[in-house]
Amino acid sequence: MKNKFIIAASLLLITGLSTAVSAKEVIDRVVAIVNDDLITLSELRETSLSLDPTTKEPLDERTVLNQMVESKLFEQEAKKRGLSVSEEELDASIEQVRIRYGLNEDQMEEVLKKQNLTPESFREQWRVQTLGNKLLESQLRNTIVVTDDEIVEYYKQNYGAIDYSSDFTEE
């Protein structure tokens, strides 16, 4: 009799636990996996709202998700190539933004609030953008080479012949 009671109590406990587990609400979910990185629904919605702060409705989530996936791929490629953005570089870059737009610290925070960004989320977005720029620069640095002959040919095609006889000599 005692064993039947223990078995019945165990079954009730297991049934109660499984009901509690199935009744839990999904708080967040994965919307994309980019190699080993995850993008969650909450990240997608936060990014959507920060891109268009004039609306309470998120932008087209497919477009935003594509941008986020691209950004993750840039990050991964930069990491693979040993590129990073130091805290000093990030601070200097953000300071340049503030100066360019003539904003003090308080005004900068106000602008970020209007764009639904915290200073921390802005820093992260700016770090990723700066890292992407570094990656592009590292890839383009050695691939774009313009020779003197190409410059002369471009000038001839667009501005006519070069007149070497008219030196800037005093008369």
Side-chain angles (χ1 to χ4, degrees):
M1 183 73 169
K2 188 176 181 182
N3 284 342
K4 288 182 182 180
F5 178 73
I6 291 173
I7 292 173
S10 297
L11 285 174
L12 282 173
L13 181 63
I14 291 171
T15 304
L17 285 176
S18 66
T19 304
V21 169
S22 65
K24 283 187 178 179
E25 182 181 322
V26 175
I27 295 173
D28 209 353
R29 65 182 175 97
V30 174
V31 292
I33 301 173
V34 185
N35 296 321
D36 293 332
D37 290 335
L38 303 177
I39 298 174
T40 63
L41 182 60
S42 61
E43 290 172 322
L44 175 62
R45 290 191 173 146
E46 179 183 333
T47 302
S48 294
L49 286 172
S50 71
L51 293 175
D52 187 2
T54 61
T55 181
K56 293 295 179 198
E57 294 296 317
L59 294 175
D60 173 42
E61 288 185 344
R62 170 116 8 239
T63 302
V64 176
L65 182 59
N66 286 339
Q67 291 173 350
M68 292 177 74
V69 167
E70 187 176 290
S71 179
K72 288 281 187 194
L73 290 170
F74 268 118
E75 275 186 279
Q76 292 170 0
E77 185 64 25
K79 184 177 181 180
K80 188 167 44 171
R81 294 176 183 274
L83 299 172
S84 64
V85 177
S86 70
E87 290 299 312
E88 294 79 22
E89 287 176 301
L90 186 57
D91 289 340
S93 181
I94 291 172
E95 184 64 21
Q96 286 176 348
V97 170
R98 268 191 345 92
I99 290 169
R100 183 180 319 136
Y101 293 103
L103 302 172
N104 63 34
E105 291 288 332
D106 294 334
Q107 291 169 326
M108 181 76 165
E109 283 189 36
E110 189 62 33
V111 168
L112 293 179
K113 277 183 192 174
K114 288 179 182 174
Q115 293 182 327
N116 298 313
L117 290 170
T118 64
E120 296 78 22
S121 60
F122 172 73
R123 252 184 105 70
E124 179 58 19
Q125 284 183 8
W126 199 253
R127 183 192 66 75
V128 170
Q129 183 173 339
T130 303
L131 188 60
N133 290 343
K134 275 182 126 176
L135 176 63
L136 287 174
E137 181 183 316
S138 74
Q139 294 302 296
L140 295 176
R141 186 178 306 129
N142 296 324
T143 58
I144 300 175
V145 178
V146 180
T147 66
D148 290 340
D149 291 339
E150 289 173 323
I151 294 170
V152 169
E153 186 59 35
Y154 176 85
Y155 189 89
K156 284 179 185 176
Q157 288 177 357
N158 293 286
Y159 302 104
I162 299 174
D163 183 10
Y164 292 105
S165 65
S166 62
D167 288 343
F168 295 101
T169 57
E170 293 182 32
E171 292 182 20

